């Protein structure tokens, strides 16, 4: 859902009906409209459209308001660290995270975040099996964190509960435990603890009530765990782009596996397709576009492009665009 008042706030210099009529050109179907909001349907291969912030990002390019890859900064903070225990390697081996600061959450923003979370869970996360997400109130967390395993009798207070439950009770008594319990088998389960040994998450099942996000929270920690490294990174990339659009200041989270520190996210980490020939693009589209015109098209699709020494086109794609796999996908962007 995209409230009409938010469209007007984000694009004050454009007619509302013009903006709505333009949305199908970025692959969105208008399902419903009333005097307060529109409801849009999007393809699962565009998880960046799971919030109206991502839709506005793409729309800004198509109408020429903002061009090229979105620019935002992720500050490196060495104290933001997650230590990964080898015990998780055989069950849910990958974890990444981001810290988001200095923007007060409203109920409307939380609704967008929760909507994005569920769409990412059910889409590229494959119902949490490949990747799952936890949003936490950073004010109740103390780094470094430990991503480890625990026995079934470990207890903490899960989200929306008022008393502690053991991990086994969470699997058998909570709705999410019953629904996703099959993703964690055995007597040892993955958990995330902070430096005070407080459990903040039982991925991919449920977070702790202690780190609930709610209206007024202005600092968050976000973690993504999963069984597939590529999917986990794609999920985080979409979250980071959205948090940047919302207005948060972003800080990196270091992942310590064994004795090595690995920087989990690089804001400059983009996909670059080389050797996309100008003739190839024109042949497929039956056009005669000059390289400058192609660059203009790609910039409107929030991509960047350069020409290398041999005359081929580099197309640089932000890492939240998981739908671009090959040169023919670049041709589609030009066509759009």
């Amino acid at each position: 859902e995209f409230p009409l008042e938010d469209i007007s706030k984000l694009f004050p210099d454009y007619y509302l009906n013009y903006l709505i009529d333009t949305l199908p050109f970025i692959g969105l179907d208008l399902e419903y409209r009333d005097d307060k909001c529109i409801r849009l349907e999007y393809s699962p291969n565009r998880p960046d459209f799971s919030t109206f912030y991502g839709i506005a990002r793409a729309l800004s390019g198509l109408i020429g308001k903002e061009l090229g890859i979105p620019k935002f900064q992720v500050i490196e903070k060495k104290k933001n660290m997650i230590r990964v225990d080898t015990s998780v390697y055989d069950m849910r081996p990958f974890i990444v995270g981001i810290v988001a600061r200095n923007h007060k959450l409203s109920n409307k923003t939380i609704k967008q975040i929760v909507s994005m979370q569920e769409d990412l869970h059910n889409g590229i996360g494959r119902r949490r099996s490949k990747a799952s997400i936890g949003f936490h109130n950073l004010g109740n967390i103390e780094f470094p964190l430990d991503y480890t395993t625990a026995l079934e009798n470990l207890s903490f207070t899960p989200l929306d509960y008022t008393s502690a439950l053991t991990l086994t009770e969470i699997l058998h008594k909570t709705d999410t435990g019953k629904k996703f319990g099959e993703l964690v088998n055995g007597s040892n389960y993955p958990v995330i603890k902070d430096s005070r040994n407080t459990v903040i998450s039982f991925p991919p099942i449920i977070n702790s009530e202690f780190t609930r996000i709610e209206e007024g929270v202005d600092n968050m920690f976000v973690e993504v765990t999963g069984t597939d490294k590529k999917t986990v990174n794609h999920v985080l990339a979409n979250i980071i782009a959205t948090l940047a659009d919302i207005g948060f200041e972003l800080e990196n989270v270091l992942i310590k596996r064994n004795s090595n520190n690995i920087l989990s996210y690089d804001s400059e980490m983009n996909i670059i397709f080389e050797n996309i020939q100008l003739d190839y693009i024109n042949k497929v589209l039956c056009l005669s576009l000059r390289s400058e015109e192609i660059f203009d098209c790609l910039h409107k699709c929030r991509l960047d492009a350069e020409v290398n020494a041999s005359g081929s086109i580099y197309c640089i794609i932000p890492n939240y665009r998981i739908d671009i796999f090959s040169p023919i996908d670049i041709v589609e962007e030009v066509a759009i």
Side-chain angles (χ1 to χ4, degrees):
E1 290 187 356
F2 203 153
L4 298 183
E5 66 173 354
D6 288 296
I7 300 178
S8 298
K9 287 178 182 177
L10 290 166
F11 302 96
D13 299 326
Y14 296 85
Y15 290 112
L16 181 62
N17 286 337
Y18 163 72
L19 295 168
I20 294 174
D21 290 342
T22 305
L23 290 170
F25 289 93
I26 54 175
L28 293 162
D29 290 328
L30 182 63
E31 278 196 338
Y32 171 82
R33 177 180 178 177
D34 59 23
D35 59 348
K36 291 186 178 180
C37 77
I38 55 175
R39 185 176 297 122
L40 300 164
E41 182 180 21
Y42 71 93
S43 170
N45 71 347
R46 289 301 301 268
D48 51 311
F49 288 166
S50 58
T51 68
F52 61 65
Y53 298 104
I55 293 170
R57 188 188 315 135
L59 185 58
S60 293
L62 198 60
I63 65 177
K65 183 172 180 276
E66 296 177 6
L67 300 174
I69 290 179
K71 302 296 192 295
F72 52 86
Q73 184 180 20
V74 179
I75 301 168
E76 183 178 346
K77 293 284 187 178
K78 293 184 178 180
K79 69 175 183 177
N80 300 340
M81 181 180 290
I82 302 174
R83 299 176 296 209
V84 182
D85 189 81
T86 56
S87 61
V88 302
Y89 287 4
D90 293 332
M91 56 179 72
R92 201 170 184 83
F94 303 108
I95 185 169
V96 290
I98 197 77
V99 166
R101 293 186 184 273
N102 300 325
H103 185 87
K104 201 174 292 293
L105 287 173
S106 65
N107 284 329
K108 181 185 290 186
T109 304
I110 292 173
K111 183 179 179 181
Q112 289 291 310
I113 287 174
V114 171
S115 174
M116 171 180 64
Q117 181 183 31
E118 289 309 304
D119 284 3
L120 289 172
H121 278 165
N122 295 325
I124 62 175
R126 295 294 186 269
R127 297 186 74 251
R128 306 194 188 191
S129 63
K130 293 179 75 173
S132 64
I133 309 156
F135 287 89
H136 305 273
N137 179 354
L138 183 65
N140 292 337
I141 295 173
E142 192 170 297
F143 281 101
L145 308 181
D146 287 295
Y147 180 41
T148 183
T149 56
L151 295 174
E152 56 192 12
N153 61 354
L154 177 73
S155 63
F156 72 99
T157 304
L159 195 65
D160 295 328
Y161 280 73
T162 57
S163 59
L165 300 175
T166 66
L167 300 184
T168 301
E169 289 173 330
I170 288 172
L171 294 177
H172 291 95
K173 293 183 178 181
T174 68
D175 290 340
T176 54
K178 296 173 185 176
K179 191 173 183 180
F180 301 108
E182 62 184 19
L183 300 178
V184 287
N185 296 315
S187 57
N188 274 12
Y189 301 112
V191 293
I192 303 173
K193 300 179 179 180
D194 76 351
S195 65
R196 297 166 296 192
N197 209 36
T198 302
V199 177
I200 68 168
S201 181
F202 173 19
I205 309 301
I206 199 164
N207 290 342
S208 167
E209 175 68 20
F210 184 61
T211 61
R212 166 191 288 275
I213 62 167
E214 54 193 354
E215 187 174 27
V217 168
D218 54 6
N219 298 311
M220 288 194 300
F221 164 65
V222 188
E223 39 87 6
V224 183
T225 65
T227 57
D228 182 77
K229 183 178 181 179
K230 186 176 181 180
T231 302
V232 166
N233 284 322
H234 279 154
V235 168
L236 183 67
N238 275 275
I239 292 170
I240 286 173
T242 301
L243 294 178
D245 287 341
I246 291 172
F248 282 99
E249 298 172 8
L250 303 174
E251 295 176 1
N252 223 322
V253 174
L254 295 171
I255 307 298
K256 186 174 183 179
R257 301 176 72 92
N258 300 323
S259 59
N260 299 317
N261 290 343
I262 302 173
L263 197 62
S264 64
Y265 180 81
D266 182 352
S267 61
E268 299 300 322
M269 184 177 64
N270 299 302
I271 305 166
I272 300 177
F273 282 106
E274 298 184 44
N275 301 319
I276 303 171
Q277 300 292 333
L278 178 65
D279 290 345
Y280 171 69
I281 295 173
N282 280 321
K283 181 180 179 180
V284 174
L285 298 180
C286 298
L287 296 174
S288 301
L289 298 172
R290 293 176 289 109
S291 58
E292 292 81 5
E293 293 174 302
I294 289 175
F295 288 175
D296 183 55
C297 291
L298 294 174
H299 290 156
K300 286 184 175 181
C301 291
R302 307 311 305 269
L303 312 178
D304 281 343
E306 301 172 0
V307 178
N308 63 17
S310 65
S312 299
I313 296 175
Y314 283 128
C315 187
I316 308 166
I317 300 104
N319 50 7
Y320 63 81
R321 286 294 304 272
I322 69 165
D323 58 310
I324 299 179
F325 296 98
S326 68
I328 195 64
D329 297 314
I330 303 302
V331 177
E332 182 182 9
E333 295 299 299
V334 175
I336 289 170

